[in-house]
Amino acid sequence: MPEAKRVALVTGASRGIGRAIATALAEDGLFVVLNYTANEAAAHEALAAVKSVGGDGVLSKFDVSNSDQVDAAVKQIATEHGRIDVLINNAGIAIDGLLLRTKKEDWARTLDVNLSGAFHCTKACSRYLLKSETGRIVNISSVVGEQGNAGQVSYSAAKAGLIGMTRTLARELASRAVTVNCVTPGFIETDMTNKHVQGEVREALIKQIPLGRIGSAKDVAEAVRFLVSPRASYVTGQVLRVNGGLLM
Ligand code: NAD
C-alpha cells in the first residue's frame, strides 16, 4: 500500500502568498487543505493551481479569528484525512493608520486575525501535529514585525507577536520533534501590497531593497517549502527573512 501523504493546512490560501505556498507543498507531495473565508471563486482557482502541478487537496472555509469555526474545521479535516502534519499560519490583514487615527476596533480586528487566528489554528491542530512524526508549523510574520513601520501600529504589533509565539512554541513542542518557525517576508507582489504601496512610494521602496525588486509570492513559498521539508528537521524557533536584503 502506498504511504499516506502528509497533510498540510494552509490558512488564507485562496490567493497571494498562501496560494503559492499551497502549490509548492503540493508539488512536494503533500495533501493540501486550502483555507479561505469568502472568495469561493478564488479558492477554487487556487485548488485548480494545486491540481495543475499534479497535487491534491481540498478547500476548507472558516474565519481564523473565530475559534469555534477553527475547532470545527480542524476536527473535520482530521476526521476526513486522518492526520494533520503541517500548519502554515498565513492568513492576515492590514488595517493601516497612524496611531491617532487607529480605531480600537481596527486594532482589535488586526490582532484577532493575524495573531489570535494563528493561536486558534495552532491550538486546534496541536494534538494532530504532536502525533505526526514530522510535525511542522510555519508562521508568516513580516519585516514590519521586526523593524516597525509608521502607519502600521496594529499590524506590526501582531506580526511581532507571531515571532514571540513562534519561539515559545518551538520550545514547548520540541520534545515531540515538532518544529516551529517564522518567515518574515519583505515587500511581496500581492493584492495586499498593491492596495497599500503604489506610485512613488513603491519606487522609493524598491530603491531601499538591495536586490532591487519587490519579491514574489513564490520567493516566500520556497522558504516555507524548505522549512516544511525533511531538510529542515534540525531548524526550529528561527526567523527566516525573505526580504531581498531590506533588513539584515
Ligand atoms: P493577501 O491579502 O493576498 O492574502 C491574505 C489571505 O488571508 C487572503 O486569502 C485572505 O482572504 C485571507 N484572510 C484574511 N482574513 C482571514 C480570516 N479571518 N480567516 C481566514 N483567512 C483570512 O495578502 P498576502 O500578501 O498574500 O499575505 C499573506 C500573508 O503574508 C499575510 O499574513 C501577510 O500579512 C503576510 N505578508 C505579506 C507581505 C506582502 O508584502 N504581501 C509582506 C509581509 C508579510
Side-chain angles (χ1 to χ4, degrees):
M1 220 168 77
E3 211 183 314
K5 281 189 167 193
R6 293 168 79 206
V7 173
L9 170 59
V10 183
T11 67
S14 63
R15 66 183 200 195
I17 293 171
R19 172 176 158 157
I21 293 170
T23 311
L25 298 188
E27 275 173 347
D28 285 353
L30 282 87
F31 182 90
V32 189
V33 180
L34 297 97
N35 156 252
Y36 71 104
T37 30
N39 194 338
E40 202 95 29
H44 281 283
E45 278 174 34
L47 181 57
V50 159
K51 295 196 171 168
S52 75
V53 298
D56 199 7
V58 288
L59 299 177
S60 177
K61 182 175 179 170
F62 61 89
D63 178 339
V64 295
S65 70
N66 182 322
S67 62
D68 291 340
Q69 285 186 26
V70 170
D71 289 347
V74 166
K75 203 168 167 192
Q76 190 183 354
I77 294 163
T79 305
E80 285 176 11
H81 306 289
R83 56 196 291 168
I84 301 173
D85 303 277
V86 174
L87 170 64
I88 313 296
N89 285 310
N90 166 77
I93 56 165
I95 307 176
D96 293 350
L98 295 169
L99 175 67
L100 291 179
R101 288 175 187 265
T102 299
K103 297 192 207 112
K104 66 180 181 193
E105 297 79 15
D106 294 343
W107 165 268
R109 183 66 190 152
T110 308
L111 271 286
D112 277 353
V113 174
N114 292 282
L115 187 55
S116 303
F119 168 74
H120 299 319
C121 293
T122 305
K123 197 168 174 194
C125 288
S126 60
R127 55 189 286 219
Y128 309 105
L129 294 167
L130 289 169
K131 276 191 212 150
S132 168
E133 282 171 14
T134 54
R136 297 276 195 275
I137 300 170
V138 181
N139 296 318
I140 308 301
S141 174
S142 168
V143 64
V144 163
E146 297 181 278
Q147 65 174 12
N149 193 23
Q152 291 198 304
V153 62
S154 45
Y155 183 74
S156 62
K159 293 301 190 185
L162 274 178
I163 296 174
M165 194 171 107
T166 298
R167 292 183 173 139
T168 291
L169 295 181
R171 292 180 189 279
E172 285 192 17
L173 304 180
S175 64
R176 303 284 286 274
V178 176
T179 68
V180 188
N181 290 290
C182 204
V183 171
T184 52
F187 288 89
I188 307 298
E189 192 81 65
T190 66
D191 292 348
M192 186 182 271
T193 331
N194 291 339
K195 189 169 138 200
H196 296 268
V197 187
Q198 288 168 347
E200 286 171 13
V201 177
R202 187 186 161 97
E203 293 315 310
L205 189 71
I206 292 173
K207 287 199 182 110
Q208 291 173 40
I209 303 171
L211 284 179
R213 66 171 175 90
I214 292 194
S216 69
K218 192 162 186 297
D219 289 325
V220 180
E222 290 302 328
V224 175
R225 185 206 289 269
F226 165 67
L227 291 170
V228 167
S229 78
R231 298 187 301 281
S233 59
Y234 200 55
V235 180
T236 197
Q238 302 305 311
V239 176
L240 179 48
R241 294 174 174 161
V242 182
N243 64 24
L246 182 63
L247 176 69
M248 298 186 191

